[in-house]
Amino acid sequence: EPEVTQTPSHQVTQMGQEVILRCVPISNHLYFYWYRQILGQKVEFLVSFYNNEISEKSEIFDDQFSVERPDGSNFTLKIRSTKLEDSAMYFCASMGTGSEAFFGQGTRLTVV
Amino acid sequence: KNEVEQSPQNLTAQEGEFITINCSYSVGISALHWLQQHPGGGIVSLFMLSSGKKKHGRLIATINIQEKHSSLHITASHPRDSAVYICAVQKTSYDKVIFGPGTSLSVIP
């Protein structure tokens, strides 16, 4: 069964530090997404990525956030200067033909 | 207004009971997803539907496009079914997934 993998599973960082969350989507998928879930809240869309560029982003995805697909396999989310309110579970997802979404296990980010 | 609503918000059932979780949405969609989230946090896709009904083991998902409503049924519930069940929709193919608030299910032995 193909799967989306995310690393690390848990990251603790100091406020103001940069973090990079990593995802390896399913190899033949072309559409990639980041979502986040603040504790106790529903999952929210951050950004979608297709053909090496952002195709849509939410109002949460401000200048502090960026995404990259540096080497054709990894898909990363960078937060430049973390704030306490960035503490959340971050999910990566990918879609292939048929648009079934496959989600990673998530990275729990804790900003202290 | 939320585009995806679920009921109930919380559900406690005795082992063996038949369970129904409902989802209603307010937008035109190309697909509806039912997802499962365990306490560890990972999300697992259970079903993707665009019409009719799908069955996998003890899980059944139905959708009524005209009424903008979907249901997830669990037959012969078991404590290992305890999780949050999330309804989510896509407006068009390859579009982002819009999540509902989830239904927290607890199945008691």
Side-chain angles (χ1 to χ4, degrees), chain B residues 11 13-14 17-21 72-75 77 81 105 107:
Chain B
L11 181 55
Q14 288 290 132
E17 281 186 14
F18 180 85
I19 287 162
T20 296
I21 299 170
L72 176 69
H73 305 287
I74 305 175
T75 61
S77 59
D81 297 326
L105 171 65
V107 181

Side-chain angles (χ1 to χ4, degrees), chain A residues 41-81:
Chain A
Q41 298 185 21
K42 68 178 182 180
V43 179
E44 304 171 286
F45 167 73
L46 288 178
V47 65
S48 57
F49 192 86
Y50 170 72
N51 202 23
N52 280 320
E53 60 184 28
I54 289 173
S55 45
E56 186 180 356
K57 59 184 180 179
S58 72
E59 57 191 30
I60 303 167
F61 194 89
D62 61 21
D63 291 345
Q64 292 299 310
F65 291 87
S66 62
V67 289
E68 203 174 41
R69 190 158 155 80
D71 56 13
S73 62
N74 290 286
F75 179 50
T76 62
L77 174 70
K78 184 194 293 187
I79 309 175
R80 268 181 259 287
S81 177

Side-chain angles (χ1 to χ4, degrees), chain B residues 20-23 34 49 60-64 69-73:
Chain B
T20 296
I21 299 170
N22 294 300
C23 173
W34 280 102
L49 293 161
I60 303 165
T62 63
I63 188 168
N64 185 320
H69 181 270
S70 176
S71 294
L72 176 69
H73 305 287

Side-chain angles (χ1 to χ4, degrees), chain A residues 3-6 23-24 89-94 101-107, chain B residues 41-44:
Chain A
E3 60 178 16
V4 176
T5 56
Q6 289 186 242
C23 170
V24 179
M89 191 79 150
Y90 288 81
F91 292 101
C92 172
S94 68
F102 289 79
F103 290 88
Q105 287 299 301
T107 293
Chain B
I43 292 174
V44 174

Side-chain angles (χ1 to χ4, degrees), chain B residues 77-96:
Chain B
S77 59
H78 190 275
R80 65 174 174 266
D81 297 326
S82 299
V84 175
Y85 291 83
I86 303 171
C87 174
V89 301
Q90 281 175 269
K91 293 181 184 178
T92 60
S93 295
Y94 308 112
D95 194 8
K96 64 184 181 290

